[in-house]
Amino acid sequence: MSNSSLPALPASDRPEVAARLRDALLGAAFTADGLLELLGAPAYTALARSETVPALRATRGDTPLETLVRLFLLQQPAPHARVADVLPVTACLESGWLVSVGTDEVAATVDVRPYGGPDGEDWFIVSDLGCAVGGAGGIGSREEGVVLGVGGASTTLAGITVRTPVSAALDLGTGSGIQALHASRHATRVTATDLNPRALHITALTLALSGAQAADLREGSLFEPVRDDETYELIVSNPPFVISPGARLTYRDGGMGGDDLCRSLVQQSGERLREGGFAQCLANWQHVEGEDWQDRLRSWVPRGCDAWIVQREVQDVTQYAELWLRDAGDHRGDTAAYEALYDAWLDEFEARKVKAVGFGWITLRRTDSDAPSITVEEWPHPVEQPLGDAVREHFDRVDYLRTHDDAALLAAHFRLAPEIIQEQVGLPGAEDPEHVVLRQHRGMRRATKVDTVGAGFAGVCDGTMSAGRILDAIAQLVGEDPVLLRDRTPAQIRLLVEQGFLEPVG
């Protein structure tokens, strides 16, 4: 791949310059919190959408922070003398972070964006100029090897990733290095791969400028750079999942037919996972005429793995094509060319009998169970991020339920999970509700219907009595045969545990 038409990048083998630059940025409060205080919430959130006018208006002064915002975020040249008051300008020019413009100005060669870590870390994400994600006019570059910065997909994946300490983590398709940066907090060794050598270079810059440990960077597609004997406890990937006719843009287009890239990624992950290890990725998948989309995804799951697959969004083929044509800025070009591209997308979908495209999360966990659990569900509703703990707890519950039959459930003790509320639904003035809803305010924020016995059972669960004894007490209260109640209730208990409403005790 040639990136010859893209600007040269800063040297990645000058860690001492990155360290000095980091100190200078922090000294000027060039951080996520510092930006919010300087710009104010409206301009700050507009900048996240790649809308720069509010930020330009808010940085008309000459303070060190305003100078850095205009230089690294708004890509505006700044007077050499003013920058020299803030940064080690000579070292930055020599190592390529800055270039001279005209006789007395300097400009940034890359976008440097403050990024707050989960524990308050001050990190910086490096990307190509003008390539922040989410702008109304597209990414600002149609170069094949362009490297994007932080976007909604990146932060979504970072939020759902299980963050337990591991010895080895793998970031497939690292891009600007966001997932590798997060993994550096809890992994002894981080390996990052990408088909685009420019992305690997930028990942090295992101890690160095953020003060994180260096990663083992390898060029190649998917698992190609990984040796046969290498396994990991965590694999994460925000792959180029866009289903498109061709592969114009490396950062998003998979280059395989339909959703084959995502399928291959999922299927190949199983053999690379250590026992109990997690593989987590974002993906697009086709909804094909005459085929159940859930069955399609179940067929992707490799042997020896539990899976939890959540569809977050579905778009018809016209919405999908328009979204990604706008992402590339194609709508701003020649009308006839735009229409031809649009037509090519629809031709591709028609040939494959695709009626819609789903987007969501896929999590695998390597298991030694003879009966792996595969959950495929649709959940378009708001969730609480970060969700990594909730993902790990889902698989903990899978293990628990797999080893507890109905008799064991009745002998077990449970407690109601935190922040569960009960809603009674029915006609005004009715003596009894039509049904009762339990609703979570944490994690997936699920809601589930229960009958009056289920609601009463959940309300009493505080860990002190076994499930069977609680049911016996309810049977006596409502005048029902306790044997029959014990017979029909375990299925409801199992559902409440599976969805996280009840937590096993002990």
Side-chain angles (χ1 to χ4, degrees):
M1 175 191 308
S2 172
N3 292 318
S4 58
S5 57
L6 291 168
L9 294 171
S12 59
D13 58 352
R14 298 284 302 275
E16 75 285 355
V17 177
R20 292 177 63 192
L21 177 56
R22 172 178 170 79
D23 289 343
L25 296 177
L26 294 177
F30 187 66
T31 63
D33 290 340
L35 286 187
L36 180 59
E37 183 175 348
L38 171 68
L39 302 178
Y44 183 81
T45 53
L47 191 60
R49 301 190 301 270
S50 298
E51 298 294 351
T52 59
V53 172
L56 285 166
R57 292 173 61 86
T59 55
R60 292 170 173 169
D62 58 1
T63 67
L65 181 54
E66 287 170 300
T67 299
L68 293 176
V69 171
R70 294 179 71 86
L71 186 66
F72 285 116
L73 295 185
L74 305 179
Q75 282 93 58
Q76 301 292 310
H80 185 288
R82 186 181 300 171
V83 175
D85 289 338
V86 187
L87 302 178
V89 69
T90 300
C92 288
L93 285 167
E94 290 176 351
S95 61
W97 289 94
L98 301 175
V99 292
S100 296
V101 177
T103 58
D104 63 350
E105 289 189 317
V106 296
T109 58
V110 287
D111 182 298
V112 175
R113 194 151 300 234
Y115 180 76
D119 291 327
E121 300 94 341
D122 289 315
W123 288 338
F124 300 97
I125 307 300
V126 180
S127 63
D128 274 313
L129 295 174
C131 292
V133 179
I139 64 168
S141 174
R142 300 181 194 178
E143 296 288 349
E144 179 186 2
V146 71
V147 179
L148 270 62
V150 180
S154 304
T155 55
T156 294
L157 179 58
I160 68 172
T161 299
V162 176
R163 299 295 175 191
T164 52
V166 297
S167 60
L170 173 64
D171 176 14
L172 285 180
T174 188
S176 56
I178 301 163
Q179 309 308 324
L181 181 57
H182 276 276
S184 70
R185 295 175 59 249
H186 62 101
T188 304
R189 177 172 58 88
V190 177
T191 301
T193 72
D194 204 290
L195 181 64
N196 182 1
R198 188 176 182 87
L200 297 175
H201 190 139
I202 284 181
T203 290
L205 298 176
T206 290
L207 294 172
L209 195 58
S210 298
Q213 64 172 319
D216 178 5
L217 304 176
R218 305 182 190 179
E219 182 180 344
S221 177
L222 298 181
F223 289 98
E224 286 177 2
V226 180
R227 298 192 306 270
D228 290 343
D229 61 343
E230 289 182 298
T231 56
Y232 302 87
E233 292 142 294
L234 176 66
I235 299 172
V236 291
S237 183
N238 178 17
F241 53 67
V242 176
I243 300 170
S244 62
R248 286 191 304 152
L249 299 172
T250 303
Y251 76 88
R252 69 166 206 193
D253 297 326
M256 296 185 185
D259 52 17
D260 283 354
L261 182 135
C262 291
R263 177 184 55 78
S264 296
L265 169 63
V266 172
Q267 291 181 336
Q268 293 174 28
S269 293
E271 62 190 28
R272 299 296 184 176
L273 281 177
R274 298 176 186 174
E275 187 66 34
F278 288 92
Q280 298 184 262
C281 70
L282 305 182
N284 275 173
W285 43 78
Q286 299 171 151
H287 285 229
V288 180
E289 291 180 16
E291 181 181 11
D292 186 300
W293 68 270
Q294 293 182 324
D295 289 343
R296 181 182 188 84
L297 289 173
R298 287 189 185 95
S299 73
W300 289 10
V301 178
R303 298 178 65 179
C305 287
D306 294 322
W308 184 21
I309 302 173
V310 182
Q311 180 167 275
R312 296 287 289 159
E313 183 180 0
V314 182
Q315 291 182 312
D316 68 46
V317 292
T318 59
Q319 292 173 314
Y320 189 80
E322 290 162 15
L323 169 68
W324 294 109
L325 288 169
R326 287 181 176 273
D327 170 81
D330 292 316
H331 63 301
R332 293 184 287 112
D334 176 74
T335 300
Y338 171 75
E339 290 176 352
L341 286 169
Y342 197 153
D343 208 35
W345 284 66
L346 297 185
D347 283 345
E348 177 83 4
F349 287 132
E350 184 177 341
R352 296 180 176 276
K353 297 183 178 181
V354 177
K355 57 184 180 179
V357 177
F359 167 81
W361 319 324
I362 298 178
T363 300
L364 305 178
R365 186 190 59 168
R366 190 76 187 177
T367 180
D368 59 2
S369 171
D370 294 332
S373 165
I374 300 177
T375 301
V376 184
E377 63 176 316
E378 185 164 18
W379 189 255
H381 311 293
V383 300
E384 179 191 40
Q385 284 278 37
L387 201 64
D389 285 346
V391 173
R392 176 182 51 77
E393 289 163 1
H394 166 88
F395 288 95
D396 289 344
R397 294 192 296 270
V398 165
D399 283 341
Y400 179 85
L401 292 172
R402 190 154 46 201
T403 57
H404 285 70
D405 59 16
D406 288 356
L409 285 182
L410 291 174
H413 294 235
F414 301 95
R415 62 169 165 256
L416 193 65
E419 298 189 44
I420 303 291
I421 63 170
Q422 176 178 305
E423 300 172 357
Q424 299 192 46
V425 181
L427 294 173
E431 184 174 344
D432 296 312
E434 292 179 13
H435 59 263
V436 177
V437 174
L438 299 182
R439 189 177 301 277
Q440 301 169 345
H441 278 224
R442 304 296 303 273
M444 291 292 285
R445 294 177 175 165
R446 296 187 186 277
T448 189
K449 287 183 183 180
V450 293
D451 59 22
T452 53
V453 170
F457 177 86
V460 173
C461 282
D462 62 2
T464 60
M465 295 173 60
S466 70
R469 287 187 61 194
I470 292 174
L471 290 178
D472 291 343
I474 291 175
Q476 186 176 8
L477 185 66
V478 300
E480 189 168 340
D481 186 332
V483 175
L484 293 178
L485 193 60
R486 278 174 171 256
D487 246 9
R488 67 178 176 86
T489 307
Q492 194 167 189
I493 296 174
R494 191 171 293 277
L495 177 65
L496 291 175
V497 173
E498 179 184 345
Q499 296 190 343
F501 289 93
L502 293 179
E503 298 175 344
V505 175

